[in-house]
Amino acid sequence: MSFRVLLDEIRTNLLQVTTRLQIPEVSFTLEPAKSEFGDVTCNIAFLTSKHLKKRPYDIAKLISDEYQKNLGTLVSKVEPHQSGYLNFYANNAQLNRLVINAAKDAIYGMVDIGKKSRVIVEHTSVNPNKALHIGHVRNVVVGDTIARILSKANHDVVVLNYVDDSGLQVADIIVGFKHLGFSETPPDGQKFDNYCGDEVYVKTTEQYAQNKSLEEIRNNILKELEDGRSDIAKFGKSVTNRVLAEQLKTCWRLGAYYDCLNFESEIVRSHLWPDIFEKLKKMNLIKYESEGKNAGCWVILSQDEDKVLVRSNGTATYIAKDIPYAAWKLGLVDDPFYYKKYSVQKNNKVLWQTTLEENRDPKQHFRSNVVVTVIDSRQARLQNIITELISKFDSSQKSYLHLGYESVTLSADTANVLGIDTKGKNTQMSGRKGLYINADSVLDMLEQKTIDETKKRNPDLSNESLHEIASKVAVATLRYEMIKQDLDKIITFDYSKSLSLDGDTAPYIQYAYARAVRILEKAQAKPDFEASYELLDSEYETNLVKLIGRFDLNVEDAANNLSPKVIAKYCHNLAVTFNVFYEHVKVLDSENADTVNARLCLVHSFKSCLENALNLLGIETPSRM
RNA sequence: GGGCUGGUAGCUCAGCUUGGACAGAGUGCUGGACUUCUAAUCCAGUGGUCAAGGGAUCGAAGCCCUUCUAGCCCGCCA
């Protein structure tokens, strides 16, 4: 129960009023108002103005006079505004009680959009030949946040991570290990994924320019990888598994968790592709080209340019691996996989992996009618082709959705630090060239910065507490930077600007939380929720209550639009409103015991609501910092 | 050449889906507030022909069209 109750009450009463006044039915909107215009605002007068041949203000006046006769329980005043809006003022005491009591509950903010229906969210899907850089982090964080938001909207969410362990990039590092003499053990202390990406991959790809014979070696390795039985394939599997294990450490450090790892090598080796291939032929969705530039190839018939699916030498292209996977996710083909436990994650969820070998672990069901795939928007064209093909392949309720996002680039200054002169322009990162910022290194820097700051304010804290706080703040800062803006905005990473802890950042929000915790700690008694809520009557208090009350409206918005930033903005807004309250209202020094208690209730509900909302962003809440 | 996405304050961005009340934050800059529930904070000031032009509308940052501009994508690579 929340602000929504107020909206519902007004809608019901307004409908009665308009019926009585014989105002035609129109689909008016009721929405939270800016504070100087009451609490809820309605545009009905604009919509009916033409039909009634009256000025909007006169209609608003008419309606408000009628509404005023019977205000209901949650409204204290209705007013027409000169502009034509109809403004409603809440009965604060009633609303305070309602919101503050609701917000302390853990399920607060839940909205039932999903009705428990399943949604697959696939994200991360980093090639297992390198460590995560900050571009990958955007994918992980967007995907993980979307998964959390959809769960809050009562979807049954399954999170998949696709491991492309049979691609060219893996072949590259095998060339490095087997033909260029790179040691299989990284130098002391270096993570294996860093070593593979920074050393083996970068230096091996450098060699191709000078040594053309290496490319042929690589192509042979690629073929052996796809076959799966060779020694090279086994070696590849062991290397990619080692890289994957290290990548997952970074993902878990970021607070992202998964349900299942899907390996491309297994999709390739299953019968999925030949099955789909035959079906596509029968349905005339693909075509064999006997002449032209694609002679000898099977191509996808698309509104766009035709896309080669099977090369003239009979091998499948990249997109031909994605189609069976998409079909598998949507349950359009029989499931050829067995499942085994990969590990139990920090959040106590089991992480499964696919396997083609029969085993004793129970069969899992990780498929769904709705699939959201998080991939950067550079791949939009290919993803559209897949979406189009799937919709022709199965015209039922299946929905394959590409959630795209813009890339993370480096500022000119930061590129300079890495030794590249970009002439003052931002630049795309490149794994191949070694031009990227490692994710763990950013977290390490943020942790160090946080430790320095926290020590200044809390000299008495133990080392252990300091590190725990630093970890929470560092992860939060990076995650927040990755989702606070829209998905279609390029993020420019800059060492000095992106590591800030002031202003519109996660630490600002976490700091508000810590302040609330301290008030509750220092209070003489726990809040008693049978409180005198009418005492919370300053704008600092009522503004905070009303914002807390809007949590579920924001969850709904974020879930419907797959927009994580909505929740980020909400959390920031909540923190701002609390900080203003904090500076102007002294909770523990209030005039009398009843006021202290009422305010403690508010602080408690704020804390609970913020924790709840931050949880959707994968941001944890330190009680001191 | 074709396709996708962006262009709002010096800088980074909200607002656009669902048109309506003086276009909002952060940051920067100028000044102010810690013997007080943590100043990672707060308060005040500064700063905008909403890229340009046209159109439909009583009304446009928002909708439609055109243009300019920036980025990305257009391989029998993945």
Side-chain angles (χ1 to χ4, degrees):
Chain A
M1 286 295 127
S2 67
F3 205 79
R4 190 188 295 275
V5 180
L6 175 63
L7 293 175
D8 290 346
E9 181 187 300
I10 293 174
R11 180 168 293 275
T12 307
N13 291 345
L14 198 51
L15 282 172
Q16 286 172 9
V17 167
T18 52
T19 307
R20 259 183 313 215
L21 294 174
Q22 297 183 330
I23 289 171
E25 259 188 63
V26 288
S27 56
F28 57 84
T29 59
L30 278 175
E31 52 193 20
K34 290 186 206 166
S35 54
E36 66 264 44
F37 300 119
D39 297 308
V40 174
T41 190
C42 180
N43 65 350
I44 189 164
F46 296 108
L47 302 177
T48 50
S49 158
K50 199 176 227 173
H51 185 268
L52 296 174
K53 299 200 170 88
K54 282 186 173 147
R55 286 166 51 214
Y57 172 81
D58 294 333
I59 300 169
K61 177 86 169 61
L62 202 69
I63 296 175
S64 76
D65 285 348
E66 182 67 20
Y67 196 109
Q68 195 75 30
K69 290 178 192 162
N70 185 2
L71 285 170
T73 50
L74 292 172
V75 174
S76 65
K77 188 172 67 164
V78 190
E79 256 181 18
H81 186 270
Q82 271 311 327
S83 60
Y85 277 107
L86 187 56
N87 294 331
F88 297 83
Y89 292 76
N91 177 329
N92 288 328
Q94 291 292 338
L95 197 64
N96 290 346
R97 174 182 301 279
L98 201 69
V99 169
I100 289 174
N101 276 287
K104 59 190 195 325
D105 206 324
I107 63 152
Y108 183 63
M110 271 279 214
V111 284
D112 190 11
I113 297 172
K115 317 244 186 279
K116 295 230 189 307
S117 66
R118 170 159 293 184
V119 176
I120 286 179
V121 177
E122 183 209 316
H123 66 80
T124 305
S125 307
V126 180
N127 284 327
N129 72 326
K130 59 162 98 69
L132 270 72
H133 61 57
I134 48 172
H136 300 125
V137 172
R138 189 169 191 181
N139 187 302
V140 174
V141 173
V142 166
D144 183 65
T145 306
I146 287 292
R148 288 165 185 261
I149 290 168
L150 291 177
S151 294
K152 190 78 176 175
N154 205 21
H155 278 287
D156 169 23
V157 179
V158 168
V159 180
L160 304 180
N161 181 357
Y162 182 69
V163 184
D164 179 2
D165 58 348
S166 62
L168 202 67
Q169 299 204 4
V170 171
D172 284 329
I173 59 169
I174 295 175
V175 170
F177 285 122
K178 291 295 188 188
H179 296 272
L180 296 177
F182 283 99
S183 163
E184 287 167 40
T185 322
D188 49 84
Q190 192 176 21
K191 274 182 90 200
F192 188 65
D193 55 347
N194 287 335
Y195 169 67
C196 284
D198 295 355
E199 282 286 311
V200 185
Y201 181 52
V202 170
K203 290 187 176 159
T204 300
T205 50
E206 272 175 12
Q207 293 292 316
Y208 290 131
Q210 297 138 38
N211 190 347
K212 287 288 170 194
S213 66
L214 276 180
E215 291 200 20
E216 200 186 325
I217 293 173
R218 175 182 63 181
N219 291 340
N220 288 333
I221 287 175
L222 197 56
K223 274 183 199 152
E224 290 193 58
L225 279 178
E226 294 198 2
D227 181 31
R229 281 166 301 199
S230 64
D231 285 346
I232 284 293
K234 281 179 191 140
F235 177 72
K237 192 76 188 163
S238 81
V239 169
T240 52
N241 273 338
R242 284 174 72 192
V243 173
L244 175 63
E246 295 298 326
Q247 289 180 340
L248 284 171
K249 283 184 194 164
T250 306
C251 298
W252 289 330
R253 186 179 179 189
L254 284 164
Y257 301 99
Y258 308 86
D259 293 294
C260 187
L261 303 169
N262 293 58
F263 293 92
E264 181 174 271
S265 59
E266 287 167 1
I267 290 178
V268 170
R269 280 156 50 211
S270 72
H271 56 79
L272 282 178
W273 170 241
D275 284 4
I276 290 271
F277 190 35
E278 284 311 311
K279 283 187 189 167
L280 292 174
K281 282 183 199 168
K282 272 188 200 145
M283 296 175 76
N284 282 323
L285 295 173
I286 58 175
K287 180 184 166 202
Y288 183 78
E289 294 281 1
S290 51
E291 53 190 16
K293 62 170 184 164
N294 293 333
C297 300
W298 284 90
V299 299
I300 299 176
L301 300 171
S302 165
Q303 291 174 350
D304 233 36
E305 235 173 320
D306 290 349
K307 187 81 200 159
V308 172
L309 196 60
V310 176
R311 304 182 183 101
S312 52
N313 69 2
T315 57
T317 61
Y318 163 76
I319 195 166
K321 294 175 183 175
D322 255 22
I323 291 164
Y325 182 42
W328 174 86
K329 285 191 281 193
L330 287 163
L332 297 172
V333 287
D334 292 336
D335 186 1
F337 299 120
Y338 299 98
Y339 296 85
K340 64 180 182 190
K341 279 183 191 170
Y342 181 88
S343 73
V344 178
Q345 300 167 102
K346 248 194 323 199
N347 66 346
N348 289 324
K349 253 166 83 176
V350 174
L351 175 57
W352 295 88
Q353 67 173 92
T354 55
T355 171
L356 289 169
E357 284 150 36
E358 195 164 356
N359 67 11
R360 287 193 190 159
D361 281 336
K363 179 91 178 169
Q364 300 296 310
H365 301 279
F366 293 135
R367 290 139 38 101
S368 162
N369 289 338
V370 182
V371 173
V372 177
T373 309
V374 182
I375 312 182
D376 75 87
S377 46
R378 284 174 295 194
Q379 300 211 43
R381 180 184 286 257
L382 285 169
Q383 287 297 310
N384 279 339
I385 292 175
I386 293 174
T387 306
E388 195 189 328
L389 188 71
I390 290 286
S391 69
K392 289 185 196 157
F393 189 82
D394 183 308
S395 53
S396 63
Q397 297 301 307
K398 311 279 180 182
S399 116
Y400 183 87
L401 227 113
H402 169 220
L403 186 65
Y405 59 90
E406 273 293 347
S407 44
V408 180
T409 65
L410 302 179
S411 72
D413 287 349
T414 296
N416 243 306
V417 173
L418 298 178
I420 311 281
D421 180 13
T422 60
K423 297 180 175 127
K425 290 176 84 174
N426 297 343
T427 186
Q428 292 274 337
M429 286 187 284
S430 160
R432 192 173 290 267
K433 293 181 194 154
L435 182 59
Y436 49 80
I437 306 282
N438 176 274
D440 282 306
S441 76
V442 170
L443 289 174
D444 291 344
M445 282 184 275
L446 286 168
E447 283 189 5
Q448 192 50 53
K449 236 176 142 171
T450 305
I451 287 175
D452 295 345
E453 292 295 314
T454 309
K455 258 188 190 161
K456 276 190 229 162
R457 298 168 175 80
N458 304 276
D460 56 318
L461 281 177
S462 70
N463 246 352
E464 198 193 344
S465 309
L466 279 174
H467 278 94
E468 194 190 318
I469 292 165
S471 158
K472 286 180 181 177
V473 172
V475 167
T477 305
L478 183 54
R479 286 190 70 130
Y480 191 77
E481 283 303 302
M482 290 294 154
I483 51 156
K484 76 172 175 185
Q485 60 283 85
D486 230 325
L487 299 178
D488 57 18
K489 286 286 195 303
I490 295 170
I491 294 178
T492 304
F493 182 88
D494 181 272
Y495 271 125
S496 53
K497 288 177 191 155
S498 303
L499 303 181
S500 165
L501 307 180
D502 302 322
D504 184 9
T505 64
Y508 173 92
I509 301 168
Q510 290 173 312
Y511 185 69
Y513 179 88
R515 282 177 145 181
V517 169
R518 293 293 272 178
I519 293 176
L520 294 166
E521 270 176 17
K522 293 200 169 177
Q524 301 290 322
K526 290 220 151 77
D528 173 3
F529 286 89
E530 285 306 314
S532 311
Y533 291 105
E534 72 282 358
L535 296 173
L536 304 174
D537 59 356
S538 71
E539 60 170 325
Y540 304 112
E541 291 155 323
T542 55
N543 284 346
L544 185 55
V545 169
K546 282 160 192 169
L547 194 55
I548 292 170
R550 288 184 214 166
F551 181 32
D552 64 331
L553 299 176
N554 284 273
V555 173
E556 188 176 21
D557 184 2
N560 282 335
N561 294 304
L562 296 179
S563 181
K565 127 201 117 181
V566 170
I567 302 298
K569 295 276 168 222
Y570 177 71
C571 288
H572 180 251
N573 219 335
L574 209 49
V576 169
T577 309
F578 178 78
N579 274 331
V580 172
F581 161 82
Y582 182 95
E583 297 282 346
H584 294 91
V585 180
K586 296 291 167 224
V587 175
L588 300 179
D589 288 339
S590 303
E591 312 77 89
N592 57 59
D594 282 349
T595 308
V596 171
N597 179 55
R599 287 176 176 166
L600 282 175
C601 291
L602 172 57
V603 171
H604 180 94
S605 281
F606 158 76
K607 166 180 168 277
S608 182
C609 179
L610 182 61
E611 187 169 16
N612 201 332
L614 285 174
N615 184 40
L616 298 181
L617 305 181
I619 290 178
E620 294 186 277
T621 44
S623 30
R624 289 181 69 176
M625 60 187 282

